[in-house]
Amino acid sequence: MERRTFLELLAAGVITAATGAAAGIFLPKLIEEKSEFGFGKMGAALPPIAEDVNVYPSAIPIIFEPPRVTQVPVPFGTISSIPHHPGMFALTVDDGISSHVVREYTRFAQETGMRLTFFVTGQYPSWSENIPELRPLVESGQIQMANHTWTHPSLLKVSNGQVSSELGQTHDFLLKNYGVDATPYFRPPFGNHDERIDSVAASLGYTTAVMWHGSLSDAGQITPDQLREFAGKWIGEKRIVIGHANFPAVTECFGYIKDLILERKLQPVTLNDLYLKR
């Protein structure tokens, strides 16, 4: 077939992917090493997309659609659940010690539509190393970035100036690298806070301390079986659940978490999905 004729047929959609491959035109191959979500092996690089070849992201089955929700004003003070939003569930992910785990959480979101709120400890390289993959999801609103201090100290043990610095450094990092103002949500490390901490945080715009109803208990190393047990116990309606991007056990549990959310007919949400800033 003459090149001109081939290109005309290709533009018209007549030439199939198989014919295009035979003609030397690259089309991504997603048949081998499928993940449990059907998109590609977890942790494997996505195949490059050649110029002038139209590969539609809609080929990826999105399991969790964006929520339809009536937003309410952000609560002041401390929250550990989302009582005004029946059927909804917020998975929040702390720290980010492991760049690999942050990347796999991001891939989980890409493949399923899962909505996540990351509480970022800004000193960890994972948040810089995964910007290219994370930022589009942050910009779309599927992933939210919130403040978990810069070095993860117990704020009860540091001065007011240090509290301000810890929150301020991560605030500036997120604004510069992700284009987001992370206020008003912060999570004090270890959940340790009091009126003094809350007052300093509020002076910076962080008026809502976010605790949790239940935990995947994976701040340290646990087994995938243990993590699945905690997920089964705590993932539920109107709950804020805390996990961590620190150790790899959770990357073996994404399929279980996905199925659990579907089985319990829950809608994953970010905090920004639910609340309007005052």
Side-chain angles (χ1 to χ4, degrees):
M1 183 183 297
E2 293 184 2
R3 177 177 175 80
R4 178 178 178 182
T5 303
F6 175 82
L7 292 175
E8 289 173 350
L9 290 173
L10 181 62
V14 175
I15 302 298
T16 65
T19 306
I25 294 179
F26 172 80
L27 291 173
K29 184 178 181 183
L30 299 181
I31 298 174
E32 297 177 356
E33 297 186 320
K34 284 186 178 180
S35 75
E36 57 194 314
F37 308 111
F39 186 64
K41 186 177 180 182
M42 295 296 285
L46 298 181
I49 298 176
E51 292 184 4
D52 301 325
V53 177
N54 200 355
V55 180
Y56 290 96
S58 58
I60 308 168
I62 297 301
I63 298 167
F64 301 115
E65 298 291 341
R68 297 179 180 180
V69 58
T70 301
Q71 293 178 305
V72 298
V74 177
F76 290 116
T78 302
I79 62 172
S80 58
S81 61
I82 46 177
H84 303 294
H85 296 90
M88 300 193 181
F89 155 73
L91 180 58
T92 62
V93 183
D94 281 16
D95 301 349
I97 290 173
S98 169
S99 188
H100 168 72
V101 177
V102 170
R103 185 164 55 253
E104 293 302 287
Y105 259 115
T106 305
R107 190 174 178 86
F108 177 39
Q110 290 170 330
E111 294 180 352
T112 64
M114 182 68 183
R115 302 178 81 80
L116 301 166
T117 302
F118 281 122
F119 279 89
V120 173
T121 302
Q123 71 166 349
Y124 295 129
S126 60
W127 304 113
S128 297
E129 293 169 353
N130 289 292
I131 288 172
E133 293 79 22
L134 270 172
R135 181 152 182 162
L137 298 178
V138 173
E139 290 176 346
S140 75
Q142 185 183 339
I143 286 179
Q144 177 182 346
M145 297 300 211
N147 199 324
H148 195 39
T149 74
W150 186 254
T151 65
H152 205 275
S154 173
L155 297 180
L156 297 176
K157 299 179 180 179
V158 302
S159 69
N160 289 357
Q162 289 172 296
V163 173
S164 180
S165 176
E166 285 285 336
L167 293 172
Q169 285 186 82
T170 293
H171 180 93
D172 292 345
F173 171 82
L174 293 175
L175 189 61
K176 177 181 177 181
N177 292 285
Y178 290 95
V180 297
D181 175 353
T183 60
Y185 307 105
F186 79 104
R187 177 167 282 156
F190 315 105
N192 293 343
H193 68 120
D194 58 13
E195 290 184 6
R196 176 180 72 89
I197 305 305
D198 292 348
S199 177
V200 175
S203 72
L204 302 173
Y206 288 97
T207 55
T208 304
V210 182
M211 299 293 107
W212 52 92
H213 180 95
S215 174
L216 301 183
S217 299
D218 60 343
Q221 294 202 54
I222 61 174
T223 68
D225 284 343
Q226 288 173 319
L227 196 147
R228 282 187 281 266
E229 182 179 351
F230 288 118
K233 179 178 181 179
W234 294 115
I235 288 176
E237 181 183 36
K238 299 183 182 180
R239 293 179 176 178
I240 296 173
V241 174
I242 180 177
H244 297 80
N246 294 347
F247 297 98
V250 70
T251 66
E252 299 182 34
C253 301
F254 289 144
Y256 179 81
I257 291 170
K258 174 206 69 173
D259 291 343
L260 199 60
I261 294 169
L262 291 171
E263 177 185 319
R264 295 179 180 180
K265 296 180 172 58
L266 301 173
Q267 168 65 63
V269 292
T270 69
L271 297 176
N272 281 341
D273 289 331
L274 304 178
Y275 298 115
L276 290 167
K277 287 189 179 184
R278 294 178 183 272

